[in-house]
Amino acid sequence: MSKMTLKTEGDTHIIVTRRFAAPPEAVYRAHTDPKLIQQWVLGPEGWTMPVCINEARPGGKIRYQWKHEKGQGFYLTGEFVSLEPYSRIVHIERMHLPDPTPDNYVETRFDPDGSSTLMTMRMTLPDAKTRAAMLATNMEQGMEASYKRLDSLL
Amino acid sequence: MNLDATFSALADPTRRAILSRLAKGEATVMELAKPFEMTQPAISQHLKVLEDAGLIVRRIDGTRRPRRLAKAGIDAMDQWLAMLRKALEKNYSRLDNVLAAMEHNEKGKSQ
């Protein structure tokens, strides 16, 4: 419905914004209820999330496990730092590929804007090298999708 | 630009990491070998592939041969950023549908 923005800030931040046609309460729930998370946090085509643990309380655990239709998989773990329903979530996450990536400190804000919500996600990586590596890793997923499209063209 | 060579060059995670490192500025083989815990010959081999694909270039500075991103390498990095963007956009367009279904269910319940 609306355009997402993604930009880097300083050496260690990545900032993503997106508007949603629903009140903050609904967008917050879609970020904290495992049954809802499993429906959309899937990245490129072909992935599912068979395991989703999301204990939405301070100190609560996070574990997302993805599986590709061709069989390979990877997972993410994390912990909640603080939650302010329905306006703010702070958590720490890392990917396991299978070695863990450095911690990514993520603050997600949900601000009401009329009847819709403006989401602002601010990621903080330990250093510039980590941010570059993280962008490269996430892109790897995208590369997979491109290769598949390429396969279908050849 | 040879797309085939570019794709094979980018298919290796070490070579993608080398490009990420070079995105921050030029570096010598020795500087590149250190964080990757690889031998210099192994790094040199990866650099040759990246060079042949036109993604990086070398400069001569006395006895040093620092490498930096070529225009094609910069474009490839931009493309990667675009792919992260694409994965997130995909997630959020799914979320639009989830939110629409939630609203629909709420309405159903209150009737």
Side-chain angles (χ1 to χ4, degrees):
Chain A
M1 60 155 288
S2 90
K3 230 182 138 195
M4 185 190 88
T5 70
L6 182 153
K7 57 172 200 222
T8 55
E9 189 189 271
D11 273 347
T12 58
H13 304 290
I14 299 172
I15 306 202
V16 178
T17 68
R18 175 70 149 77
R19 213 171 286 274
F20 296 100
E25 183 179 349
V27 184
Y28 181 95
R29 274 177 52 209
H31 276 78
T32 47
D33 179 342
K35 286 203 162 49
L36 297 172
I37 291 168
Q38 279 173 307
Q39 293 174 41
W40 68 273
V41 185
L42 301 171
E45 296 289 351
W47 292 87
T48 55
M49 193 197 289
V51 177
C52 180
I53 297 165
N54 200 78
E55 301 170 352
R57 52 176 165 76
K61 288 196 181 347
I62 301 170
R63 185 184 172 100
Y64 297 170
Q65 210 164 307
W66 289 277
K67 192 174 185 306
H68 192 262
E69 55 193 10
K70 281 186 181 164
Q72 73 269 42
F74 67 100
Y75 65 100
L76 171 154
T77 61
E79 298 83 39
F80 283 102
V81 176
S82 65
L83 296 106
E84 293 163 34
Y86 301 100
S87 59
R88 187 169 173 261
I89 300 171
V90 180
H91 78 277
I92 295 167
E93 65 176 42
R94 63 201 72 84
M95 301 275 226
H96 298 258
L97 304 162
D99 294 331
T101 59
D103 286 359
N104 182 8
Y105 181 95
V106 187
E107 179 193 20
T108 313
R109 297 196 59 88
F110 308 97
D111 293 308
D113 180 18
S115 60
S116 67
T117 300
L118 173 66
M119 185 212 72
T120 309
M121 182 166 64
R122 186 185 167 88
M123 307 184 207
T124 306
L125 285 314
D127 50 52
K129 199 180 125 204
T130 303
R131 186 181 70 186
M134 197 197 91
L135 288 174
T137 303
N138 278 299
M139 288 153 204
E140 203 165 318
Q141 306 289 333
M143 292 289 292
E144 286 275 337
S146 315
Y147 281 133
K148 243 186 258 145
R149 274 195 292 279
L150 191 67
D151 281 345
S152 63
L153 287 174
L154 300 174
Chain B
M1 161 166 126
N2 181 346
L3 271 182
D4 211 29
T6 308
F7 267 101
S8 357
L10 292 174
D12 181 273
T14 303
R15 290 197 286 269
R16 287 197 294 272
I18 290 173
L19 287 186
S20 291
R21 165 62 189 83
L22 292 177
K24 286 168 56 194
E26 65 173 31
T28 61
V29 178
M30 213 195 294
E31 286 163 344
L32 288 168
K34 211 172 169 190
F36 295 111
E37 290 173 357
M38 289 178 85
T39 62
Q40 289 193 29
I43 287 288
S44 294
Q45 188 52 42
H46 284 305
L47 292 176
K48 185 178 179 331
V49 176
L50 289 169
E51 224 169 298
D52 290 348
L55 296 171
I56 64 171
V57 289
R58 72 168 80 182
R59 189 165 69 81
I60 297 173
D61 174 21
T63 56
R64 296 165 74 246
R65 299 285 182 276
R67 272 33 172 226
R68 62 178 167 77
L69 286 187
K71 170 76 171 68
I74 294 166
D75 289 348
M77 292 297 293
D78 284 350
Q79 213 180 327
W80 282 353
L81 197 56
M83 279 163 179
L84 167 66
R85 187 188 297 271
K86 228 183 246 173
L88 284 174
E89 273 170 352
K90 193 115 213 174
N91 276 357
Y92 292 136
S93 85
R94 282 191 205 102
L95 178 53
D96 284 337
N97 295 334
V98 168
L99 292 168
M102 283 166 75
E103 201 195 358
H104 187 78
N105 288 343
E106 285 298 311
K107 275 184 188 148
K109 262 182 228 161
S110 61
Q111 271 167 12

